[in-house]
Amino acid sequence: MLSRKIAQSLLPLETPFYLYDMGLLRLTLESAVAMAARYGFVLHYAVKANYDPRVLKMIREFGLGADCASGGEVRCAIEAGFDPSKIVYAGVGKKDSEIRYAIEQGIFAINCESLEEISVVDRIASELGVKVRIALRVNPDIDPKTNHCIDTGQADSKFGISYEEILANAPLIQSYKNVEVRGMHLHIGSQIRELHVFEYLCNKVNVIVENLVGLGFTLDFVDVGGGLGINYDVPENEPVPNFASVFAIINSHLNVGGREVHFEFGRAIVGQCGELITRVLYNKTTATGRKLVIVDSSMTELIRPALYGSYHNIENITSDAQKSERYTIVGTACESTDKFDENVTLPETHRGDLLTIKSAGAYGQSMSSTYNLHPLPRSVYSDEL
């Protein structure tokens, strides 16, 4: 990763911080856009993954739309210059004020996740004197073969409307005067590495679209979500995700009658371009003989290991020691779960060394907090060093 190549330039900087490889972000976007263009697919970026202003600016410049999971994200996308006609708004708990704001901005579509939400959107649209384009977020009951904390498409998930409920309530949905169902949306989860899952998704979508059209719904687009995973184990082996294979699978197996096919990638776009750079504060050995390395970042900067048990590859980028040791890397937060890795082998590591926690561009900085009154981490960009 980039930090290893520029470690000496990073040493004088105050840590911790997120280092963004803007060159790698550009390569990733070039790949995603080029591969999508082969099939006429439409790309949105999932703002929740990372809303750093420089990152958003580059993504917007490549022509992607924005997929937003909250009213705040809709506002962020608007203020970052995304074309409202390319913004979609999902999320299970939209407040009335957020729905109103999204409608007033003229966004592309609101992805509705319950029957009651459709009713609320219809009422607000009526008050504003407009008709609003919506998509039905369908829960397809698919196991995405990923961490149970980030799967969103199984039957008991809070996300989406059950397919059976839509079938049973089609006349009610079609009776609303100020919403028009123009799309269908599915998202089965995140960090999907078993690509055959996307083939199974297509088979489900084909049946659902056929049946919804048979019930009289007019669908212009189908949003198949995102979810494409990245290589956390050895990120250097796959710095740019395999967009080509996913798009080829979707193109081969999806049969939705020439309707627009939309994607909403987050992690796949930004995951590998970000690293959390942290400095070693102390070494100590526990009574059981475990060697601890205490760094100046914590779960407040990167919560994924504590929240999900997620793995991030860690490297000492400044030590030239020949001898290696096995360490547990822990942070500064007053929580026992504040650990980045319990079994990492590094060159002998000492106070002042810089470590990089790789593949942190997605759900890193965007999920950071000020717990223990830690300041939010800042950003450092490769093209400004």
Side-chain angles (χ1 to χ4, degrees):
M1 306 303 279
L2 175 67
S3 60
R4 181 191 309 154
K5 302 173 184 176
I6 61 170
Q8 294 307 307
S9 299
L10 302 178
L11 266 173
L13 303 180
E14 181 74 19
T15 51
F17 59 84
Y18 276 89
L19 172 66
Y20 291 112
D21 184 343
M22 303 305 286
L24 178 56
L25 177 58
R26 181 176 296 278
L27 285 175
T28 304
L29 287 163
E30 287 173 349
S31 175
V33 169
M35 295 301 104
R38 291 182 177 180
Y39 310 107
F41 293 153
V42 178
L43 299 184
H44 304 271
Y45 167 66
V47 175
K48 61 182 176 289
N50 189 318
Y51 40 82
D52 176 88
R54 284 284 316 276
V55 170
L56 287 181
K57 181 175 183 292
M58 182 175 289
I59 292 170
R60 175 179 57 77
E61 289 171 348
F62 271 83
L64 276 70
D67 166 67
C68 302
S70 72
E73 289 184 12
V74 174
R75 187 175 298 274
C76 176
I78 293 290
E79 293 176 352
F82 282 86
D83 183 346
S85 69
K86 294 183 178 181
I87 295 176
V88 293
Y89 180 18
V92 298
K94 305 177 184 75
K95 294 168 60 176
D96 289 17
S97 59
E98 295 171 327
I99 294 170
R100 183 178 297 272
Y101 174 78
I103 293 173
E104 290 173 340
Q105 301 308 306
I107 69 169
F108 177 73
I110 297 175
N111 296 342
C112 291
E113 306 216 16
S114 69
L115 292 178
E116 189 168 21
E117 182 187 329
I118 298 172
S119 173
V120 170
V121 173
D122 179 72
R123 173 181 57 77
I124 295 172
S126 176
E127 293 170 358
L128 294 173
V130 297
K131 183 170 282 192
V132 175
R133 182 190 297 110
I134 68 170
L136 301 176
R137 179 167 181 175
V138 182
N139 186 315
D141 191 19
I142 293 177
D143 182 355
K145 307 298 182 184
T146 186
N147 188 308
H148 71 93
C149 296
I150 52 176
D151 67 47
T152 61
Q154 297 203 60
D156 198 38
S157 168
K158 72 176 183 178
F159 297 97
I161 314 171
S162 77
Y163 177 47
E164 292 75 13
E165 190 174 24
I166 293 173
L167 296 182
N169 291 276
L172 171 64
I173 296 170
Q174 292 164 340
S175 72
Y176 291 114
K177 304 300 184 185
N178 290 87
V179 296
E180 49 183 357
V181 178
R182 304 308 295 265
M184 187 193 72
H185 171 217
L186 297 95
H187 182 68
I188 58 174
S190 189
Q191 186 49 22
I192 299 169
R193 296 284 287 169
E194 298 184 29
L195 298 188
H196 66 85
V197 170
F198 291 103
E199 181 178 338
Y200 186 40
L201 170 66
C202 289
N203 295 336
K204 283 261 189 172
V205 170
N206 293 341
V207 172
I208 294 171
V209 169
E210 181 180 2
N211 289 340
L212 291 181
V213 171
L215 288 170
F217 289 103
T218 301
L219 304 180
D220 299 328
F221 67 96
V222 175
D223 184 338
V224 296
L228 175 61
I230 63 173
N231 188 336
Y232 282 99
D233 296 326
V234 190
E236 291 83 358
N237 286 356
E238 195 181 347
V240 177
N242 191 358
F243 296 107
S245 291
V246 172
F247 290 150
I249 289 171
I250 298 293
N251 185 65
S252 296
H253 294 90
L254 194 67
N255 181 15
V256 292
R259 293 175 173 84
E260 273 192 351
V261 178
H262 292 223
F263 293 81
E264 48 187 53
F265 294 120
R267 185 192 319 268
I269 298 293
V270 297
Q272 297 292 30
C273 78
E275 304 174 62
L276 176 58
I277 308 300
T278 186
R279 197 179 308 269
V280 175
L281 293 175
Y282 305 107
N283 290 73
K284 73 177 183 182
T285 303
T286 69
T288 62
R290 185 162 56 141
K291 294 180 181 294
L292 302 183
V293 169
I294 303 165
V295 297
D296 65 359
S297 58
S298 71
M299 61 192 292
T300 63
E301 283 76 31
L302 180 63
I303 199 174
R304 295 187 72 254
L307 185 63
Y308 302 139
S310 301
Y311 173 80
H312 287 261
N313 190 287
I314 300 175
E315 182 179 344
N316 187 324
I317 58 174
T318 54
S319 173
D320 56 4
Q322 298 303 305
K323 183 181 177 183
S324 295
E325 294 279 2
R326 184 170 294 179
Y327 298 107
T328 293
I329 312 298
V330 301
T332 61
C334 192
E335 299 290 337
S336 297
T337 55
D338 184 27
K339 302 171 187 174
F340 291 114
D341 198 320
E342 292 190 275
N343 186 27
V344 59
T345 300
L346 299 174
E348 277 192 330
T349 295
H350 303 286
R351 176 176 169 84
D353 286 350
L354 290 186
L355 305 187
T356 176
I357 304 176
K358 304 176 189 177
S359 310
Y363 308 105
Q365 195 170 24
S366 66
M367 295 180 76
S368 60
S369 76
T370 58
Y371 177 58
N372 284 167
L373 290 181
H374 290 182
L376 292 174
R378 67 191 179 102
S379 302
V380 173
Y381 309 99
S382 61
D383 55 3
E384 293 181 359
L385 289 171

